[in-house]
Amino acid sequence: MSATVMQRRPAVRALLTDRPADLLVIAGLGTPAYDLFDAGDHDGNFYLWGAMGGAAMVGLGLALARPANPVLVLTGDGEALMGLGALATIGARKPSNLSIAVLDNGHFGETGMQRSHTSLGTDLTAVAAACGFAWTATAATVEEARALAPRLADRSGPALIRLVVGAEPLPKTLPPRDGAYLKTRFRAKLGLSPA
Amino acid sequence: MSDATAPADTSTAAWKDAVFAALKGTGVTQVNYVPDAGHARLISLAEADPEITTVVLTTEEEGVAASAGAWLGGARAVLLMQSSGVGNCINMLSLVEACRFPMLMLVTMRGEWAEFNPWQVPMSRATETVLAAMGVRVVRVERAEEAAEVVSAAADLAYGSEQAVAVLFAQRLIGRKVWK
Protein backbone atom coordinates (compact mmCIF):
# COMPACT_ATOMS: atom_id res chain seq x y z
CA MET A 1 0.00 0.00 0.00
CA SER A 2 1.31 3.44 -0.89
CA ALA A 3 2.36 5.68 1.93
CA THR A 4 0.72 8.77 0.45
CA VAL A 5 -2.76 9.01 -0.94
CA MET A 6 -3.05 10.02 -4.60
CA GLN A 7 -4.53 13.48 -5.20
CA ARG A 8 -7.36 13.95 -7.66
CA ARG A 9 -5.71 16.30 -10.09
CA PRO A 10 -2.48 14.36 -10.62
CA ALA A 11 -4.68 11.28 -11.03
CA VAL A 12 -6.70 12.91 -13.81
CA ARG A 13 -3.60 14.25 -15.53
CA ALA A 14 -2.00 10.81 -15.35
CA LEU A 15 -5.04 9.12 -16.88
CA LEU A 16 -4.97 11.71 -19.70
CA THR A 17 -1.24 11.22 -20.41
CA ASP A 18 -0.69 11.58 -24.19
CA ARG A 19 -4.40 12.21 -24.62
CA PRO A 20 -5.49 10.83 -28.00
CA ALA A 21 -6.69 13.59 -30.33
CA ASP A 22 -10.00 11.84 -30.91
CA LEU A 23 -10.73 11.11 -27.25
CA LEU A 24 -14.03 12.66 -26.11
CA VAL A 25 -14.49 13.30 -22.39
CA ILE A 26 -17.69 13.84 -20.40
CA ALA A 27 -17.14 15.18 -16.87
CA GLY A 28 -19.74 14.84 -14.13
CA LEU A 29 -20.77 17.77 -11.99
CA GLY A 30 -18.55 19.07 -9.20
CA THR A 31 -14.95 18.11 -8.69
CA PRO A 32 -14.62 15.82 -11.75
CA ALA A 33 -15.52 18.80 -13.96
CA TYR A 34 -13.09 21.08 -12.10
CA ASP A 35 -10.33 18.46 -12.29
CA LEU A 36 -10.80 17.85 -16.00
CA PHE A 37 -10.74 21.59 -16.70
CA ASP A 38 -7.63 21.91 -14.53
CA ALA A 39 -5.92 19.23 -16.62
CA GLY A 40 -6.45 21.40 -19.70
CA ASP A 41 -9.53 22.65 -21.48
CA HIS A 42 -10.30 20.95 -24.77
CA ASP A 43 -13.07 21.25 -27.37
CA GLY A 44 -13.65 17.54 -26.88
CA ASN A 45 -14.53 18.07 -23.21
CA PHE A 46 -18.15 18.40 -22.11
CA TYR A 47 -18.63 19.51 -18.52
CA LEU A 48 -21.85 18.86 -16.61
CA TRP A 49 -22.89 21.35 -13.93
CA GLY A 50 -25.98 19.45 -12.83
CA ALA A 51 -28.04 16.42 -13.91
CA MET A 52 -26.41 14.37 -11.16
CA GLY A 53 -26.31 10.71 -12.05
CA GLY A 54 -26.36 11.39 -15.77
CA ALA A 55 -22.69 11.55 -16.80
CA ALA A 56 -22.26 7.84 -17.57
CA MET A 57 -25.43 7.81 -19.68
CA VAL A 58 -24.39 10.92 -21.62
CA GLY A 59 -21.23 8.95 -22.29
CA LEU A 60 -23.18 5.90 -23.44
CA GLY A 61 -25.34 7.89 -25.85
CA LEU A 62 -22.21 9.55 -27.23
CA ALA A 63 -20.24 6.30 -27.49
CA LEU A 64 -23.05 4.69 -29.47
CA ALA A 65 -23.33 7.71 -31.75
CA ARG A 66 -19.55 7.90 -32.33
CA PRO A 67 -18.26 4.33 -32.46
CA ALA A 68 -14.99 5.51 -34.05
CA ASN A 69 -14.15 7.78 -31.08
CA PRO A 70 -12.96 6.58 -27.69
CA VAL A 71 -15.18 8.11 -24.98
CA LEU A 72 -14.18 8.68 -21.36
CA VAL A 73 -16.61 9.61 -18.60
CA LEU A 74 -14.93 11.19 -15.59
CA THR A 75 -17.18 11.12 -12.56
CA GLY A 76 -17.11 10.81 -8.79
CA ASP A 77 -18.25 8.13 -6.41
CA GLY A 78 -21.32 10.17 -5.42
CA GLU A 79 -22.57 10.53 -8.96
CA ALA A 80 -21.71 6.95 -9.88
CA LEU A 81 -23.77 5.78 -6.91
CA MET A 82 -26.75 7.96 -7.84
CA GLY A 83 -26.69 6.50 -11.34
CA LEU A 84 -25.87 2.93 -10.37
CA GLY A 85 -28.46 1.58 -12.79
CA ALA A 86 -26.47 3.11 -15.64
CA LEU A 87 -23.78 0.50 -15.02
CA ALA A 88 -26.36 -2.21 -15.74
CA THR A 89 -27.52 -0.35 -18.85
CA ILE A 90 -23.95 0.03 -20.12
CA GLY A 91 -23.19 -3.60 -19.27
CA ALA A 92 -26.19 -4.67 -21.32
CA ARG A 93 -25.09 -2.64 -24.36
CA LYS A 94 -21.30 -3.22 -24.03
CA PRO A 95 -19.84 -0.37 -26.10
CA SER A 96 -16.16 -1.21 -26.60
CA ASN A 97 -15.20 2.49 -26.92
CA LEU A 98 -16.53 3.61 -23.50
CA SER A 99 -14.56 3.95 -20.26
CA ILE A 100 -15.93 5.23 -16.96
CA ALA A 101 -13.32 6.62 -14.57
CA VAL A 102 -14.54 7.21 -11.03
CA LEU A 103 -12.64 9.55 -8.76
CA ASP A 104 -13.41 7.68 -5.56
CA ASN A 105 -12.65 9.60 -2.39
CA GLY A 106 -15.41 7.87 -0.48
CA HIS A 107 -17.11 11.17 0.29
CA PHE A 108 -19.58 13.73 -1.00
CA GLY A 109 -16.97 16.42 -1.46
CA GLU A 110 -19.20 19.27 -2.62
CA THR A 111 -21.63 19.09 0.27
CA GLY A 112 -19.59 18.87 3.44
CA MET A 113 -17.55 15.67 3.10
CA GLN A 114 -20.19 13.26 4.29
CA ARG A 115 -19.10 9.64 3.84
CA SER A 116 -20.47 7.96 0.73
CA HIS A 117 -21.47 4.36 0.20
CA THR A 118 -18.00 3.51 -1.13
CA SER A 119 -16.73 4.26 2.39
CA LEU A 120 -19.52 2.11 3.79
CA GLY A 121 -19.21 -1.06 1.75
CA THR A 122 -19.94 -0.54 -1.96
CA ASP A 123 -17.18 -1.65 -4.35
CA LEU A 124 -17.89 0.05 -7.69
CA THR A 125 -15.47 -2.17 -9.63
CA ALA A 126 -17.29 -5.24 -8.34
CA VAL A 127 -20.63 -3.70 -9.32
CA ALA A 128 -19.38 -2.94 -12.83
CA ALA A 129 -17.93 -6.42 -13.23
CA ALA A 130 -21.20 -7.94 -12.10
CA CYS A 131 -23.01 -5.79 -14.68
CA GLY A 132 -20.92 -7.26 -17.49
CA PHE A 133 -18.21 -4.64 -18.01
CA ALA A 134 -15.34 -6.06 -20.10
CA TRP A 135 -12.74 -5.01 -17.55
CA THR A 136 -12.26 -3.00 -14.39
CA ALA A 137 -9.15 -1.65 -12.70
CA THR A 138 -8.20 0.21 -9.54
CA ALA A 139 -5.39 2.77 -9.49
CA ALA A 140 -4.15 4.05 -6.16
CA THR A 141 -0.97 5.74 -7.40
CA VAL A 142 -0.17 8.16 -10.19
CA GLU A 143 1.98 5.47 -11.80
CA GLU A 144 -0.92 3.05 -11.83
CA ALA A 145 -3.21 5.69 -13.31
CA ARG A 146 -0.66 6.54 -16.00
CA ALA A 147 -0.31 2.88 -16.89
CA LEU A 148 -4.04 2.77 -17.69
CA ALA A 149 -3.92 5.78 -20.05
CA PRO A 150 -3.20 3.78 -23.25
CA ARG A 151 -6.16 1.55 -22.53
CA LEU A 152 -8.66 4.42 -22.96
CA ALA A 153 -8.31 4.13 -26.73
CA ASP A 154 -7.80 0.39 -27.17
CA ARG A 155 -11.49 -0.49 -27.69
CA SER A 156 -11.49 -3.15 -25.04
CA GLY A 157 -14.39 -1.72 -23.03
CA PRO A 158 -16.72 -1.07 -21.51
CA ALA A 159 -14.31 -0.38 -18.68
CA LEU A 160 -14.64 1.02 -15.19
CA ILE A 161 -11.51 2.56 -13.68
CA ARG A 162 -11.55 3.38 -9.99
CA LEU A 163 -9.09 6.11 -9.07
CA VAL A 164 -8.58 5.99 -5.32
CA VAL A 165 -7.95 9.58 -4.30
CA GLY A 166 -7.77 11.70 -1.20
CA ALA A 167 -10.60 13.82 0.09
CA GLU A 168 -8.60 16.99 0.69
CA PRO A 169 -10.28 20.18 -0.53
CA LEU A 170 -8.64 21.88 -3.52
CA PRO A 171 -9.24 25.34 -4.99
CA LYS A 172 -12.04 25.20 -7.54
CA THR A 173 -11.04 25.70 -11.17
CA LEU A 174 -14.26 26.43 -12.94
CA PRO A 175 -15.00 25.47 -16.55
CA PRO A 176 -17.55 27.44 -18.58
CA ARG A 177 -21.07 26.75 -17.34
CA ASP A 178 -23.04 27.84 -20.40
CA GLY A 179 -24.33 24.47 -21.52
CA ALA A 180 -25.42 25.58 -24.98
CA TYR A 181 -21.93 26.94 -25.61
CA LEU A 182 -20.29 23.73 -24.42
CA LYS A 183 -22.64 21.64 -26.56
CA THR A 184 -22.04 23.71 -29.70
CA ARG A 185 -18.29 23.77 -29.15
CA PHE A 186 -18.18 20.01 -28.67
CA ARG A 187 -20.28 19.31 -31.77
CA ALA A 188 -18.20 21.74 -33.85
CA LYS A 189 -15.08 19.73 -32.99
CA LEU A 190 -16.85 16.73 -34.54
CA GLY A 191 -17.74 18.72 -37.65
CA LEU A 192 -21.40 19.04 -36.66
CA SER A 193 -23.06 22.36 -37.45
CA PRO A 194 -25.31 24.30 -35.07
CA ALA A 195 -29.06 24.00 -35.60
CA MET B 1 -67.61 -1.33 -24.74
CA SER B 2 -66.52 -4.66 -23.34
CA ASP B 3 -62.96 -5.72 -22.70
CA ALA B 4 -63.43 -8.41 -25.31
CA THR B 5 -63.74 -5.82 -28.07
CA ALA B 6 -61.16 -3.32 -26.81
CA PRO B 7 -57.68 -3.53 -28.31
CA ALA B 8 -55.10 -5.07 -26.02
CA ASP B 9 -52.26 -2.68 -25.16
CA THR B 10 -49.70 -5.06 -26.64
CA SER B 11 -51.55 -5.27 -29.93
CA THR B 12 -50.02 -4.66 -33.31
CA ALA B 13 -51.78 -1.91 -35.18
CA ALA B 14 -51.14 -0.02 -38.39
CA TRP B 15 -50.63 3.28 -36.57
CA LYS B 16 -47.79 1.83 -34.50
CA ASP B 17 -45.99 0.76 -37.67
CA ALA B 18 -46.63 4.22 -39.12
CA VAL B 19 -45.08 5.84 -36.03
CA PHE B 20 -41.97 3.71 -36.47
CA ALA B 21 -41.79 4.70 -40.14
CA ALA B 22 -42.14 8.36 -39.12
CA LEU B 23 -39.23 8.04 -36.70
CA LYS B 24 -37.12 6.41 -39.37
CA GLY B 25 -38.10 9.15 -41.78
CA THR B 26 -36.82 11.86 -39.45
CA GLY B 27 -33.45 10.17 -39.05
CA VAL B 28 -33.77 8.69 -35.57
CA THR B 29 -31.08 6.05 -35.04
CA GLN B 30 -31.15 5.53 -31.25
CA VAL B 31 -34.18 4.19 -29.41
CA ASN B 32 -33.79 4.42 -25.64
CA TYR B 33 -36.61 2.87 -23.67
CA VAL B 34 -38.13 1.66 -20.47
CA PRO B 35 -40.59 -0.93 -21.76
CA ASP B 36 -44.30 -0.32 -21.79
CA ALA B 37 -46.86 -2.65 -23.29
CA GLY B 38 -48.13 0.20 -25.43
CA HIS B 39 -44.65 0.60 -26.95
CA ALA B 40 -44.07 -3.14 -27.45
CA ARG B 41 -44.59 -3.09 -31.20
CA LEU B 42 -42.33 -0.05 -31.65
CA ILE B 43 -39.61 -1.64 -29.52
CA SER B 44 -39.68 -4.90 -31.46
CA LEU B 45 -39.53 -3.05 -34.79
CA ALA B 46 -36.57 -1.00 -33.54
CA GLU B 47 -34.71 -4.04 -32.27
CA ALA B 48 -35.18 -5.78 -35.61
CA ASP B 49 -33.83 -2.81 -37.60
CA PRO B 50 -30.07 -2.94 -38.30
CA GLU B 51 -29.91 0.86 -38.71
CA ILE B 52 -31.20 1.45 -35.19
CA THR B 53 -29.42 1.04 -31.87
CA THR B 54 -31.72 0.25 -28.97
CA VAL B 55 -30.87 0.79 -25.32
CA VAL B 56 -32.99 -0.74 -22.58
CA LEU B 57 -32.84 1.52 -19.51
CA THR B 58 -33.18 0.79 -15.82
CA THR B 59 -34.96 4.12 -15.28
CA GLU B 60 -36.30 6.78 -17.61
CA GLU B 61 -33.92 9.55 -16.56
CA GLU B 62 -31.05 7.52 -18.01
CA GLY B 63 -32.66 7.99 -21.39
CA VAL B 64 -32.74 11.78 -21.07
CA ALA B 65 -28.98 11.76 -20.54
CA ALA B 66 -28.35 9.16 -23.26
CA SER B 67 -30.38 11.15 -25.79
CA ALA B 68 -28.32 14.24 -24.96
CA GLY B 69 -25.13 12.26 -25.46
CA ALA B 70 -26.38 11.00 -28.80
CA TRP B 71 -26.91 14.57 -29.99
CA LEU B 72 -23.43 15.57 -28.82
CA GLY B 73 -22.23 12.91 -31.24
CA GLY B 74 -24.58 13.91 -34.05
CA ALA B 75 -27.20 11.18 -33.68
CA ARG B 76 -30.95 11.56 -33.20
CA ALA B 77 -32.54 9.59 -30.39
CA VAL B 78 -36.05 8.97 -29.17
CA LEU B 79 -36.98 8.12 -25.58
CA LEU B 80 -39.91 5.77 -24.94
CA MET B 81 -41.68 5.42 -21.60
CA GLN B 82 -45.07 5.24 -19.96
CA SER B 83 -46.52 8.16 -18.03
CA SER B 84 -45.32 6.87 -14.66
CA GLY B 85 -41.75 7.29 -15.91
CA VAL B 86 -42.10 11.00 -16.60
CA GLY B 87 -41.76 11.70 -12.89
CA ASN B 88 -38.40 9.94 -12.87
CA CYS B 89 -37.05 12.39 -15.46
CA ILE B 90 -37.65 15.69 -13.71
CA ASN B 91 -34.19 16.82 -12.59
CA MET B 92 -32.44 15.22 -15.57
CA LEU B 93 -34.50 17.49 -17.81
CA SER B 94 -32.36 20.36 -16.42
CA LEU B 95 -29.69 19.07 -18.77
CA VAL B 96 -31.99 19.62 -21.72
CA GLU B 97 -32.87 23.20 -20.89
CA ALA B 98 -29.41 24.24 -19.68
CA CYS B 99 -27.75 23.02 -22.89
CA ARG B 100 -30.71 23.46 -25.24
CA PHE B 101 -30.55 19.83 -26.24
CA PRO B 102 -33.20 18.47 -28.57
CA MET B 103 -35.30 15.84 -26.81
CA LEU B 104 -38.03 13.66 -28.28
CA MET B 105 -40.10 11.62 -25.84
CA LEU B 106 -42.96 9.27 -26.70
CA VAL B 107 -45.12 8.63 -23.65
CA THR B 108 -47.91 6.09 -23.41
CA MET B 109 -50.54 7.24 -20.94
CA ARG B 110 -51.84 5.17 -18.06
CA GLY B 111 -54.22 6.20 -15.34
CA GLU B 112 -56.53 8.40 -17.42
CA TRP B 113 -59.10 6.17 -19.15
CA ALA B 114 -60.69 2.95 -17.93
CA GLU B 115 -57.75 2.51 -15.54
CA PHE B 116 -58.00 -0.48 -13.23
CA ASN B 117 -54.91 0.30 -11.13
CA PRO B 118 -55.27 3.35 -8.87
CA TRP B 119 -51.50 3.57 -8.39
CA GLN B 120 -51.21 4.76 -11.99
CA VAL B 121 -53.52 7.73 -11.47
CA PRO B 122 -51.40 10.32 -9.58
CA MET B 123 -48.52 10.40 -12.04
CA SER B 124 -50.94 10.29 -14.94
CA ARG B 125 -52.60 13.47 -13.66
CA ALA B 126 -49.21 15.12 -13.14
CA THR B 127 -47.61 14.11 -16.44
CA GLU B 128 -48.42 17.19 -18.51
CA THR B 129 -47.84 19.56 -15.57
CA VAL B 130 -44.42 18.12 -14.82
CA LEU B 131 -43.29 18.19 -18.43
CA ALA B 132 -44.48 21.76 -18.91
CA ALA B 133 -42.80 22.84 -15.67
CA MET B 134 -39.49 21.54 -16.99
CA GLY B 135 -39.83 23.28 -20.33
CA VAL B 136 -41.01 20.34 -22.43
CA ARG B 137 -43.68 21.04 -25.05
CA VAL B 138 -46.50 18.51 -24.89
CA VAL B 139 -48.65 17.26 -27.74
CA ARG B 140 -51.30 14.58 -27.34
CA VAL B 141 -52.33 11.92 -29.81
CA GLU B 142 -55.98 10.89 -29.44
CA ARG B 143 -56.67 9.25 -32.81
CA ALA B 144 -54.76 6.55 -34.63
CA GLU B 145 -54.81 8.33 -37.97
CA GLU B 146 -52.94 11.36 -36.61
CA ALA B 147 -50.22 9.47 -34.74
CA ALA B 148 -47.53 9.31 -37.41
CA GLU B 149 -47.97 12.92 -38.49
CA VAL B 150 -47.75 14.18 -34.92
CA VAL B 151 -44.62 12.14 -34.23
CA SER B 152 -42.99 13.35 -37.43
CA ALA B 153 -43.80 16.97 -36.62
CA ALA B 154 -42.58 16.56 -33.04
CA ALA B 155 -39.29 15.10 -34.27
CA ASP B 156 -38.81 17.96 -36.72
CA LEU B 157 -39.54 20.48 -33.97
CA ALA B 158 -37.14 18.76 -31.56
CA TYR B 159 -34.26 18.30 -33.97
CA GLY B 160 -34.83 21.25 -36.27
CA SER B 161 -35.20 23.79 -33.49
CA GLU B 162 -33.42 22.06 -30.59
CA GLN B 163 -36.56 21.83 -28.51
CA ALA B 164 -37.80 19.30 -25.97
CA VAL B 165 -41.05 17.71 -27.13
CA ALA B 166 -43.14 14.96 -25.57
CA VAL B 167 -45.84 13.14 -27.53
CA LEU B 168 -48.44 11.63 -25.20
CA PHE B 169 -50.42 8.70 -26.58
CA ALA B 170 -53.86 8.66 -24.98
CA GLN B 171 -54.74 5.56 -23.01
CA ARG B 172 -57.96 5.35 -24.98
CA LEU B 173 -55.90 5.00 -28.17
CA ILE B 174 -53.61 2.35 -26.75
CA GLY B 175 -56.39 0.23 -25.38
CA ARG B 176 -57.33 -1.38 -22.12
CA LYS B 177 -54.83 -3.44 -20.23
CA VAL B 178 -56.07 -7.02 -19.98
CA TRP B 179 -56.19 -8.08 -16.33
CA LYS B 180 -57.15 -11.71 -16.70
Side-chain angles (χ1 to χ4, degrees):
Chain A
M1 189 173 177
S2 60
T4 56
V5 177
M6 178 164 61
Q7 289 194 333
R8 295 195 320 261
R9 289 186 183 162
V12 171
R13 285 191 212 104
L15 189 62
L16 292 172
T17 301
D18 299 326
R19 173 176 177 162
D22 60 350
L23 177 71
L24 305 173
V25 187
I26 306 295
L29 75 168
T31 50
Y34 312 151
D35 296 343
L36 178 65
F37 184 69
D38 189 74
D41 194 19
H42 193 291
D43 288 354
N45 289 354
F46 186 79
Y47 310 95
L48 295 168
W49 278 86
M52 185 167 172
M57 288 303 301
V58 174
L60 176 62
L62 175 63
L64 294 174
R66 306 294 300 193
N69 290 88
V71 174
L72 170 67
V73 173
L74 186 65
T75 182
D77 50 298
E79 181 174 50
L81 289 159
M82 184 175 281
L84 211 52
L87 298 182
T89 298
I90 292 165
R93 194 63 253 183
K94 295 186 173 45
S96 65
N97 58 332
L98 178 61
S99 305
I100 312 289
V102 182
L103 290 156
D104 187 356
N105 65 7
H107 290 78
F108 294 96
E110 284 285 297
T111 54
M113 283 297 169
Q114 301 86 356
R115 284 189 299 170
S116 84
H117 307 64
T118 63
S119 289
L120 301 167
T122 299
D123 177 346
L124 289 171
T125 59
V127 174
C131 289
F133 274 53
W135 60 274
T136 67
T138 297
T141 67
V142 168
E143 292 72 26
E144 288 169 353
R146 188 178 297 119
L148 291 168
R151 299 207 65 185
L152 297 182
D154 73 2
R155 300 181 184 287
S156 61
L160 186 134
I161 298 167
R162 176 173 171 252
L163 300 166
V164 183
V165 295
E168 70 285 350
L170 296 174
K172 290 179 170 58
T173 53
L174 303 182
R177 58 190 184 279
D178 180 334
Y181 161 74
L182 291 167
K183 171 197 68 177
T184 302
R185 182 181 80 156
F186 188 96
R187 282 170 48 89
K189 175 184 165 51
L190 297 176
L192 301 166
S193 57
Chain B
M1 181 188 282
S2 73
D3 278 356
T5 57
D9 56 4
T10 53
S11 68
T12 59
W15 70 266
K16 296 180 180 177
D17 291 18
V19 165
F20 181 70
L23 290 172
K24 289 273 288 181
T26 58
V28 167
T29 57
Q30 282 192 23
V31 175
N32 305 315
Y33 68 92
V34 172
D36 179 61
H39 285 311
R41 173 69 178 166
L42 195 53
I43 292 166
S44 66
L45 288 170
E47 290 189 331
D49 191 316
E51 294 177 348
I52 290 188
T53 301
T54 58
V55 178
V56 60
L57 311 164
T58 71
T59 178
E60 293 80 0
E61 67 192 278
E62 291 178 3
V64 175
S67 298
W71 185 243
L72 280 178
R76 297 182 174 201
V78 64
L79 172 55
L80 312 182
M81 71 186 76
Q82 75 166 228
S83 48
S84 54
V86 168
N88 294 344
C89 296
I90 297 173
N91 183 55
M92 200 61 73
L93 287 167
S94 306
L95 174 65
V96 177
E97 176 168 325
C99 304
R100 210 176 66 237
F101 275 118
M103 188 65 46
L104 177 62
M105 307 162 74
L106 303 188
V107 180
T108 44
M109 294 302 299
R110 289 288 306 272
E112 67 174 18
W113 188 78
E115 180 59 65
F116 175 80
N117 180 355
W119 296 56
Q120 289 282 354
V121 173
M123 194 59 232
S124 171
R125 200 171 50 235
T127 292
E128 289 194 42
T129 305
V130 161
L131 289 167
M134 292 307 293
V136 180
R137 183 179 293 270
V138 176
V139 285
R140 281 183 63 95
V141 174
E142 307 285 349
R143 295 179 294 117
E145 57 270 27
E146 68 186 4
E149 183 188 12
V150 170
V151 169
S152 176
D156 284 349
L157 177 60
Y159 286 105
S161 295
E162 294 194 317
Q163 297 295 303
V165 188
V167 179
L168 311 188
F169 294 100
Q171 190 172 14
R172 185 174 188 179
L173 169 67
I174 294 158
R176 294 171 185 244
K177 185 178 176 75
V178 179
W179 287 97
K180 57 192 173 188

